[in-house]
Amino acid sequence: MDQDACQPTPGAPCPSGENNGRREFLGAAVAAVATALTGCGTLSKEEFLQHNFRELSKEEVLTVIERLEKEYKEKFGREVKVANTPPMPGVMFGYALDLSRCIGCRRCVHACVKENNQSRDPEIQWIRVLEMDKEEGVDLQHAEQYYNPAEVPREGHFYMPVQCQQCKKPPCVKVCPVGATWREKDGIVVVDYNWCIGCRYCMAACPYGARHFNWGDPHLPSKDVNPDTHYLGNRPRPKGVVEKCTFCVQRTRKGRYTACVEVCPTGSRKFGNLLDKESEIRYVLENKRVFKFKEDLNTQPNFFYFYGV
Amino acid sequence: MTRLLRLSVLPGLAACLLALAGTAVSAEEHKKPAAVTEISKDMVQVPKPPFTEGIFPCSMCHDPKAMPPNTKRRVLKDMHTEISLHHGPDSRWCLDCHDAYNRDNLHLANGKLVSFNTSYQLCGQCHGDKLRDWRVGVHGKRTGSWNGEKQYLLCVHCHNPHSPHFKPLKPMPPPTRPEAIQIKNGGAK
């Protein structure tokens, strides 16, 4: 390509006299346009020209990851690993939450923030715990997310944490005008933060309030950075993109439990492979009373609520 | 129904067995370090029981020669006064679970000795449904790998055996209300 870029044609000698002149000129021009379009000078030429993650070749992915790791190192002053672990074959992730045990202590909410590099100020939280009336049952008219008593559980209440339900028919994916979000083979709905244009259609479409927008530059102090990241998961996000729970893709694709499962003091959270007959999640689905949240919307979640007692 | 029956039978049974305990239980059995023989192979061992520091082995103080066991059902006045038993019927007391003659062990209702490391066997006598769920990983917390080695916890890591109801916790801070988010330099900081 480089030689072609400056092939002298009769009557039109290479203007710069160097063999990469036009290429450099185009690059600079594109960068200038990018700067003008985005209104900020932070977007590099490579980033501006980067394609949708699903269209990248293996080599291109590696180049992108290398660039990101360099950027993060400059920004945070420490090594941040960006993984690209693909889905495991024969795995469909499922999650079950025991409503009879959750006490609403919000340990999961904060463990998630720590694990997934969310903005700290204002703090973005992927899990929202709803305090509900036992008398009313699961009824969003009687749900409170800002509860803050001295001790939980409060008399007469139960607690229902809500996060991304990893739907089989995700409305958020359906509405994305640019294809920046999709469902992976293991059932995780992911976002390509470099392809997201920040239109927030997905947030409007999601019936669970599971998507969150970076209105400002995510404020993530470097001491708080979790350096074990995944491209489609918890790598530090730029301003103006949408983010969501990914079942801790950086952990679960390596076989580990999610952060929220591991921190829950009551053991309310169960996670595993829906295709594995021996898994905990299958035991729950086959032996406990299970329901899906807003089942009538036909989003077909892979996230289940159950009563363990 | 069976559970209720068992509950009521247990103290009586235990009392009978206590009389026999010295002879009935084979000495070898409790000497073996109780590895996790009960759980199936793919389950990993349970961490050490959460003893109060310096309290185990019990036989440090409960030396059968220096202090012959008093099997009379009573409220303890001299030692262990910090323990108030809120677990099951009023008639239950220490030696229904702790063994009078093998102090570093517990015993089942049938007198079989159980090490503190496998105390779930003891709990499972009454709470069979919980034990079943615990074995398959549905009751209680699991850490480690969803497709490999998992770390289990003993019942007593989460439930104080003398007062097993899960204690209330202080909740971590709630989310910030949108109206409370400070706007700085033309955008949220």
Side-chain angles (χ1 to χ4, degrees), chain B residues 1-187:
Chain B
M1 193 57 203
T2 45
R3 213 202 299 178
L4 277 178
L5 264 177
R6 259 201 229 157
L7 272 176
S8 52
V9 167
L10 195 129
L13 241 181
C16 302
L17 285 162
L18 280 175
L20 299 166
T23 50
V25 182
S26 71
E28 289 84 20
E29 205 177 351
H30 68 264
K31 270 184 193 160
K32 275 187 220 155
V36 191
T37 46
E38 260 281 315
I39 326 179
S40 63
K41 290 140 250 136
D42 56 342
M43 285 185 203
V44 257
Q45 76 278 14
V46 187
K48 285 206 165 59
F51 289 118
T52 315
E53 205 165 313
I55 207 165
F56 194 80
C58 309
S59 52
M60 281 192 305
C61 301
H62 289 277
D63 178 2
K65 279 169 206 146
M67 196 193 334
N70 176 1
T71 55
K72 192 172 175 289
R73 204 169 278 267
R74 64 195 188 279
V75 176
L76 301 186
K77 295 242 171 63
D78 305 328
M79 282 299 287
H80 301 306
T81 46
E82 75 284 3
I83 296 172
S84 55
L85 193 62
H86 298 288
H87 190 172
D90 290 342
S91 56
R92 182 168 296 161
W93 83 302
C94 320
L95 296 184
D96 292 340
C97 300
H98 294 272
D99 198 275
Y101 301 95
N102 298 274
R103 283 291 177 172
D104 297 333
N105 288 278
L106 303 159
H107 65 247
L108 303 182
N110 66 5
K112 191 183 161 216
L113 288 185
V114 167
S115 122
F116 280 95
N117 298 329
T118 53
S119 54
Y120 53 86
Q121 289 174 298
L122 178 73
C123 309
Q125 295 180 117
C126 297
H127 307 286
D129 54 338
K130 301 292 183 294
L131 180 66
R132 194 172 58 223
D133 280 357
W134 178 80
R135 279 179 197 283
V136 292
V138 170
H139 183 103
K141 172 162 142 173
R142 297 291 165 277
T143 53
S145 299
W146 57 265
N147 64 352
E149 206 170 271
K150 300 178 204 317
Q151 278 84 52
Y152 273 60
L153 293 172
L154 282 169
C155 315
V156 293
H157 283 111
C158 304
H159 303 281
N160 178 344
H162 302 123
S163 172
H165 191 271
F166 201 88
K167 300 292 170 294
L169 292 175
K170 178 163 177 40
M172 289 186 75
T176 319
R177 289 175 191 270
E179 58 269 27
I181 294 173
Q182 297 288 312
I183 292 174
K184 285 161 198 162
N185 304 330

Side-chain angles (χ1 to χ4, degrees), chain A:
Chain A
M1 269 307 277
D2 267 326
Q3 291 94 338
D4 297 345
C6 202
Q7 275 297 333
T9 42
C14 190
S16 64
E18 293 160 22
N19 71 346
N20 59 353
R22 186 187 295 175
R23 199 151 215 260
E24 252 178 18
F25 168 75
L26 279 176
V30 163
V33 171
T35 312
L37 280 178
T38 56
C40 56
T42 52
L43 206 60
S44 69
K45 179 183 76 183
E46 291 81 10
E47 196 175 347
F48 185 76
L49 292 175
Q50 184 185 322
H51 275 254
N52 186 313
F53 185 75
R54 283 181 296 175
E55 292 172 1
L56 299 180
S57 69
K58 270 186 189 159
E59 295 73 40
E60 285 170 323
V61 169
L62 293 180
T63 323
V64 166
I65 284 177
E66 198 183 325
R67 192 194 76 227
L68 287 172
E69 285 179 347
K70 208 175 123 219
E71 277 176 24
Y72 295 145
K73 177 142 199 212
E74 272 167 30
K75 186 167 178 197
F76 299 108
R78 51 187 288 201
E79 295 289 339
V80 176
K81 274 264 157 261
V82 182
N84 170 35
T85 326
M88 294 184 196
V91 171
M92 176 62 68
F93 287 126
Y95 204 113
L97 202 149
D98 191 344
L99 287 188
S100 65
R101 303 211 191 284
C102 176
I103 57 168
C105 70
R106 292 205 191 92
R107 302 285 187 277
C108 52
V109 176
H110 294 271
C112 169
V113 170
K114 236 169 125 179
E115 168 70 26
N116 288 297
N117 289 326
Q118 278 99 321
S119 167
R120 299 300 205 275
D121 184 25
E123 189 166 276
I124 292 182
Q125 299 175 348
W126 291 352
I127 303 175
R128 190 191 317 239
V129 187
L130 304 178
E131 185 181 62
M132 294 190 183
D133 268 335
K134 276 190 177 164
E135 280 190 6
E136 305 290 341
V138 177
D139 182 355
L140 292 174
Q141 300 289 315
H142 299 268
E144 166 64 35
Q145 59 162 321
Y146 298 110
Y147 67 90
N148 197 21
E151 279 185 340
V152 284
R154 272 209 302 161
E155 188 70 30
H157 292 82
F158 69 98
Y159 298 84
M160 178 167 173
V162 180
Q163 62 205 76
C164 176
Q165 310 276 307
Q166 315 290 358
C167 310
K168 288 190 215 55
K169 290 192 171 180
C172 53
V173 167
K174 200 170 165 186
V175 299
C176 180
V178 294
T181 181
W182 64 90
R183 188 165 180 264
E184 292 266 287
K185 284 218 169 68
D186 51 7
I188 304 178
V189 177
V190 295
V191 181
D192 180 356
Y193 311 118
N194 281 69
W195 200 248
C196 173
I197 58 170
C199 69
R200 292 176 282 124
Y201 282 16
C202 55
M203 292 171 69
C206 174
Y208 305 104
R211 286 177 167 259
H212 306 270
F213 188 62
N214 286 285
W215 288 96
D217 248 326
H219 181 73
L220 176 63
S222 34
K223 67 170 172 40
D224 294 340
V225 174
N226 171 12
D228 176 22
T229 76
H230 192 286
Y231 182 92
L232 298 170
N234 62 340
R235 67 181 168 102
R237 275 79 67 184
K239 175 181 176 176
V241 302
V242 166
E243 58 183 61
K244 64 182 281 300
C245 159
T246 61
F247 278 171
C248 285
V249 60
Q250 69 282 0
R251 296 165 71 112
T252 50
R253 282 196 183 164
K254 289 191 226 149
R256 295 176 65 198
Y257 278 120
T258 67
C260 48
V261 166
E262 293 211 329
V263 80
C264 178
T266 60
S268 306
R269 292 171 166 271
K270 299 295 156 198
F271 178 82
N273 181 6
L274 289 170
L275 306 180
D276 173 9
K277 278 186 193 150
E278 307 298 318
S279 65
E280 296 144 44
I281 187 85
R282 280 288 287 272
Y283 182 89
V284 168
L285 296 187
E286 283 160 25
N287 295 288
K288 301 291 180 187
R289 289 172 294 149
V290 178
F291 77 91
K292 296 176 204 160
F293 190 29
K294 301 194 181 181
E295 187 177 10
D296 45 327
L297 299 178
N298 200 29
T299 51
Q300 303 182 16
N302 269 353
F303 194 107
F304 306 89
Y305 293 91
F306 73 105
Y307 299 96
V309 285

